Amino acid sequence: MATIKYSMKTLPMKIVVVIGARPQFIKAAVVSRALREHCADACEVLIHTGQHFDANMSEVFFDELEIPRPDYHLGIGGGTHGQNTGRMIEAIETVLLAERPDWVLVYGDTDSTLAGALAAVKLNVPIAHVEAGLRSFNRHMPEEINRILTDHAANLLFTPTATAVLNLRAEGIADERIRPVGDVMYDASRYYAMKAEQGSVILDRLHLTHGGYVLATVHRAGNTDDPERLDAIMRGLMLAARERPVVLPLHPRTRAALLRADLFQQVAHTLLLCDPLGYLDMVMLEKHAAVIASDSGGVQKEAFFHRVPCAVLREETEWVELVESHAAVLAGTTPQAIYEAIVWGLDASDLGMALFFGSGDAGPKIAEILCGV
Ligand code: UDP
């Protein structure tokens, strides 16, 4: 059976990074920059699984966030969860056997995360998981299974919040594997907010002004794949559009689901639809929104980082701190509840800013721990 033995290894430290989906590009940009700045000797080898492949879901992030070009592009996507994960494991294993890395670094909770972890653990390659310990306690979400399995396979678990640490302890994961570093997306928000102000013209392009609109995103499979639920969410957003224009950058999965459900025309008539945005445009829209309504984990947090109230378009969230501190409300997915949550947000003020997500230096901390600096 193939495993990798390290007795003959010499410097430099080699880290194979497995990414494939939009939020992973953003997280990886933070750590990659920190590795270049803090661990000059480290060699990063990037695998892009191909999970997200459209130019506006992938390419634009490599350009804007200055992520090194992938060393390996696996081109795997479009299949079922099982097909994608299986093909990824096989392809990642081949890369690991050739590269013999010191670490495999995985991010978040997608099929690419799980595939990277499973390929590595079976070769005895140490795994580091960024954004470890999150739990929605909803095992119907594919992401929840990916998180649990990846955390239990990983040697180093970089946690974004105190709740994440508690979740891992409750599952019996030893403290020596847990590293509470804070959230790399907080680093990203701080670093790119200024660049967005300088570089983005999205407000002018969409004829929007500060505080004059609601920003919405919807892409979770649980929301898009059930036509009734999708219909209810869109009705909630359309009700809110009576109060303020609602901007909805459309994830490809959501666009396809709206077309399938024959809802696209009606929604396009009432909401301000656009293609998925690059990160700088997205940050700009988040910063200046009156309210954000989203089922995205990343967007919920970014709302908090920019002190914008958030209506969470789900029944539960992994980011419980946001709800407990009243920076966000769980709106669920009925039209009236979504409308009321957005109206709550329009009136909310003085959200405060607790340090639930660390101090904005998670990237350097991760780089230093990985490189043993
Ligand atoms: N995002 C973006 N453009 C968009 C929508 C989202 O750049 O049109 C960014 C967003 O700012 C956040 C990340 O993508 O940083 C969140 O990704 P997504 O919602 O796909 O995944 P999740 O966070 O739910 O895993």
Side-chain angles (χ1 to χ4, degrees), residues 23-52:
Q24 291 168 332
F25 306 141
I26 297 162
K27 292 163 197 167
V30 170
V31 178
S32 178
R33 198 177 69 250
L35 281 169
R36 291 193 297 274
E37 284 173 8
H38 296 261
C39 315
D41 275 347
C43 160
E44 249 192 305
V45 177
L46 222 63
I47 304 179
H48 186 327
T49 62
Q51 193 179 334
H52 283 166

Side-chain angles (χ1 to χ4, degrees), residues 15 26 37-38 46 85 127 159 194 215 244 251 301 311 339 344:
I15 301 169
I26 297 162
E37 284 173 8
H38 296 261
L46 222 63
T85 311
I127 301 162
T159 47
M194 186 68 82
L215 174 65
R244 302 280 162 91
H251 191 284
K301 278 182 295 174
Y339 171 74
W344 158 81

Side-chain angles (χ1 to χ4, degrees), residues 209-273:
T209 54
H210 175 79
Y213 60 93
V214 174
L215 174 65
T217 76
V218 181
H219 79 291
R220 292 253 90 78
N223 281 343
T224 58
D225 294 1
D226 173 351
E228 272 180 37
R229 193 183 262 256
L230 183 65
D231 181 87
I233 292 171
M234 291 301 145
R235 275 182 208 297
L237 295 178
M238 288 191 283
L239 280 177
R242 293 181 188 165
E243 308 291 333
R244 302 280 162 91
V246 176
V247 185
L248 178 64
L250 267 188
H251 191 284
R253 182 194 289 147
T254 316
R255 175 180 290 274
L258 288 174
L259 288 167
R260 261 197 323 272
D262 210 11
L263 274 171
F264 188 85
Q265 288 305 336
Q266 192 185 357
V267 169
H269 188 70
T270 318
L271 309 184
L272 185 47
L273 300 186

Side-chain angles (χ1 to χ4, degrees), residues 22-23 26-27 52 61 109 185 217 219-220 249 251 275-279 282 286 295-299 302:
R22 175 170 65 188
I26 297 162
K27 292 163 197 167
H52 283 166
F61 295 94
D109 55 19
M185 292 198 71
T217 76
H219 79 291
R220 292 253 90 78
H251 191 284
D275 284 333
L277 297 167
Y279 188 60
M282 186 64 185
E286 288 173 343
D295 63 1
S296 156
V299 174
E302 286 165 352

Side-chain angles (χ1 to χ4, degrees), residues 33-370:
R33 198 177 69 250
L35 281 169
R36 291 193 297 274
E37 284 173 8
H38 296 261
C39 315
D41 275 347
C43 160
E44 249 192 305
V45 177
L46 222 63
I47 304 179
H48 186 327
T49 62
Q51 193 179 334
H52 283 166
F53 49 83
D54 296 348
N56 54 18
M57 295 291 287
S58 172
E59 195 72 22
V60 65
F61 295 94
F62 283 82
D63 294 341
E64 278 188 346
L65 310 186
E66 294 163 0
I67 308 168
R69 293 285 130 184
D71 300 278
Y72 297 88
H73 205 304
L74 306 183
I76 298 170
T80 63
H81 286 297
Q83 287 167 340
N84 288 346
T85 311
R87 291 171 62 209
M88 284 178 200
I89 292 171
E90 189 178 355
I92 294 168
E93 181 180 68
T94 305
V95 174
L96 297 184
L97 286 169
E99 294 286 350
R100 300 168 48 86
D102 299 282
W103 286 102
V104 166
L105 184 56
V106 294
Y107 293 87
D109 55 19
T110 71
D111 290 343
S112 303
T113 317
L114 178 62
L118 289 179
V121 74
K122 291 193 178 249
L123 293 173
N124 286 335
V125 182
I127 301 162
H129 183 205
V130 175
E131 210 178 67
L134 294 187
R135 298 291 181 265
S136 65
F137 301 101
N138 174 357
R139 288 175 80 99
H140 293 293
M141 292 177 75
E143 296 92 336
E144 183 77 351
I145 305 302
N146 293 342
R147 290 176 193 129
I148 294 170
L149 297 180
T150 302
D151 282 342
H152 283 262
N155 304 68
L156 268 185
L157 296 105
F158 293 116
T159 47
T161 59
T163 308
V165 175
L166 296 179
N167 289 339
L168 293 175
R169 283 189 187 143
E171 291 176 17
I173 291 184
D175 273 356
E176 18 332 339
R177 287 163 62 195
I178 305 173
R179 295 289 189 284
V181 290
D183 194 327
V184 290
M185 292 198 71
Y186 186 33
D187 296 28
S189 273
R190 285 161 51 115
Y191 185 77
Y192 293 106
M194 186 68 82
K195 286 183 189 281
E197 288 288 351
Q198 288 161 355
S200 169
V201 294
I202 190 75
L203 291 182
D204 287 344
R205 181 153 78 80
L206 299 180
H207 308 291
L208 299 168
T209 54
H210 175 79
Y213 60 93
V214 174
L215 174 65
T217 76
V218 181
H219 79 291
R220 292 253 90 78
N223 281 343
T224 58
D225 294 1
D226 173 351
E228 272 180 37
R229 193 183 262 256
L230 183 65
D231 181 87
I233 292 171
M234 291 301 145
R235 275 182 208 297
L237 295 178
M238 288 191 283
L239 280 177
R242 293 181 188 165
E243 308 291 333
R244 302 280 162 91
V246 176
V247 185
L248 178 64
L250 267 188
H251 191 284
R253 182 194 289 147
T254 316
R255 175 180 290 274
L258 288 174
L259 288 167
R260 261 197 323 272
D262 210 11
L263 274 171
F264 188 85
Q265 288 305 336
Q266 192 185 357
V267 169
H269 188 70
T270 318
L271 309 184
L272 185 47
L273 300 186
C274 59
D275 284 333
L277 297 167
Y279 188 60
L280 299 184
D281 282 344
M282 186 64 185
V283 167
M284 192 70 174
L285 278 189
E286 288 173 343
K287 270 188 80 176
H288 294 279
V291 182
I292 293 176
S294 180
D295 63 1
S296 156
V299 174
Q300 281 172 55
K301 278 182 295 174
E302 286 165 352
F304 178 75
F305 301 150
H306 301 303
R307 299 180 185 219
V308 176
C310 184
V312 180
L313 304 175
R314 288 175 52 191
E315 268 87 28
E316 78 281 308
T317 177
E318 301 77 25
W319 305 104
V320 288
E321 297 81 1
L322 303 180
V323 177
E324 285 165 8
S325 65
H326 307 290
V329 291
L330 284 174
T333 53
T334 64
Q336 189 61 24
I338 290 171
Y339 171 74
E340 284 170 14
I342 291 173
V343 170
W344 158 81
L346 291 174
D347 290 335
S349 61
D350 194 19
L351 293 186
M353 185 67 189
L355 292 178
F356 299 125
F357 299 95
S359 323
D361 57 357
K365 282 180 175 157
I366 290 169
E368 287 170 7
I369 292 169
L370 280 179

